[in-house]
Amino acid sequence: MHIHILGICGTFMGGLAALAREAGHKVTGCDAGVYPPMSDQLRSLGIELIEGFSADQTKLNPDVYVIGNVVSRARLGDGSPKFPLMEAILESGATYTSGPQWLAEHVLHHPSQPRHVLAVAGTHGKTTTTSMLAWILQAAGLEPGFLVGGVPMNFGVSARLGRLSSPVDVAAHKRTPFVIEADEYDTAFFDKRSKFVHYHPRTAILNNLEFDHADIFDNLAAIERQFHHLVRTVPGSGRVVVNADEDSLQRVIDQGCWSGVAKFGVSANAAGPDGWCVKGEPDNFAVLRHGKEVGRVQWDITGVHNQLNALAAIAAAEHLGVSPAQAAAALTEFQNVRRRMEVRGTVPRAGGDITVYDDFAHHPTAIRTTVDGLRRKVGPNARILAVFEPRSNTMKLGTMKSQLPWSLEDADLAFCHSGGLDWDAVDALLPMGARASVAGSVDEVIAQVVAAAQAGDHVLCMSNGGFGGIHAKLLAALA
């Protein structure tokens, strides 16, 4: 089968492309403004990338077009279509589908290769938790398939098919595991359901839930409804692993749950016969079940949020027979995900190196937990310079701008790239006083950081995009 993917460099669509190529399909694709790591991964796989969405790509004559949710029926100022290829597809009557639907039909639930799908949902931590769970299952010898919205450093790729079931396995209804990051964002311009509704998991993690995606959801209750749609698809023999400390997730479960439930958390809410808790600091903690230690995790990963991610992954892996002790031991070897507190380089200075980090955090809660994790790692006396851009659709709308000072409380200085915003970042950061700076371009941000940086500083860059290559530029400017 020849598939042509529109929006191929998105984290999900790029992973889907890798899976399709591994399965033996011919894969081509197009996108605009591509950036690493996905562009690098696709080129390394030999997948042809076409810049832009020109209508002449219909000459490729693929068997099916797979449409990413970046594509729309939008028009430019002169009235011409923003995505002329999509218009040409519709006019021609060619076959097209969404990424999640193609994945479900051809990978997750293909009749010849049935999978035990483990879906990881939540406002935060999906990529990291998915990567943890895939690594636990790999360490247990289960050779899982996976699709992650990032590049887990233990694997070096964002997606793989995993072990294929033998005819004996299929006859015995033994399903090879497949771990997937389950996004609540909508599927495509022609399918406004959340992506995860297509996945039909047997094991589902509900990691956390708060308001996000203000461009497509009116309020938190609307997102809770989508999460309950996911819960509805889990079979009776399945397991829903749910964060017991989240009131929003309790409301989701209260709408009805027909599967086993395993709760995890740091509070008394997670206590009970199916409860999972932690005891200790984020870099060295015991995993508790029924109040008894059943495993211990020692690693270099920072943040209380990653303790919770680990608990969720351990509880999900147990559903496939992996013991908590075995899972915890595997996490000791977990190397995290690219762009998750990734050290991009250091600049030698008398009195201490300046370290530059890259992190995907963009929602205020994620920014706060990321800064908190770094603070725990470097201690109270080291300076943290938080460099960020409000790039997600929700942040561009200004829906959560009032939370930014709260999210940056643990940073010594904050530098905001305000390019493309329709709201006043200076006003939003006013409560931070002289600790916050705002600039309209990446070059201006770099100049501000260079002027402020001192020996021993930790420069934490946060964005869900390429951020104009700021990491390499900063390292060069600081040298």
Side-chain angles (χ1 to χ4, degrees), residues 170-186:
V170 174
H173 304 289
K174 293 182 179 179
R175 299 171 182 263
T176 300
F178 194 101
V179 189
I180 185 165
E181 181 172 330
D183 187 6
E184 72 272 23
Y185 206 78
D186 60 7

Side-chain angles (χ1 to χ4, degrees), residues 347-349 354 356 446 449-451 453-454 459 473-479:
V347 178
R349 288 282 175 89
I354 298 175
V356 176
I446 291 170
V449 174
V450 170
Q454 301 175 6
V459 182
K473 293 177 181 177
L474 262 176
L475 288 166
L478 287 166

Side-chain angles (χ1 to χ4, degrees), residues 300-312:
D300 293 327
I301 311 297
T302 60
V304 173
H305 58 295
N306 278 317
Q307 285 182 297
L308 293 171
N309 293 340
L311 275 183

Side-chain angles (χ1 to χ4, degrees), residues 390-433:
R391 182 183 175 276
S392 71
N393 290 333
T394 299
M395 293 305 294
K396 282 183 178 179
L397 289 171
T399 308
M400 299 180 179
K401 62 184 179 181
S402 63
Q403 296 181 37
L404 283 172
W406 165 79
S407 72
L408 295 159
E409 278 181 349
D410 252 347
D412 294 277
L413 298 173
F415 302 86
C416 176
H417 175 222
S418 62
L421 299 182
D422 292 329
W423 47 272
D424 188 349
V426 173
D427 183 66
L429 295 170
L430 203 59
M432 296 188 69

Side-chain angles (χ1 to χ4, degrees), residues 309-320:
N309 293 340
L311 275 183
I314 291 169
E318 190 203 40
H319 193 217
L320 271 74

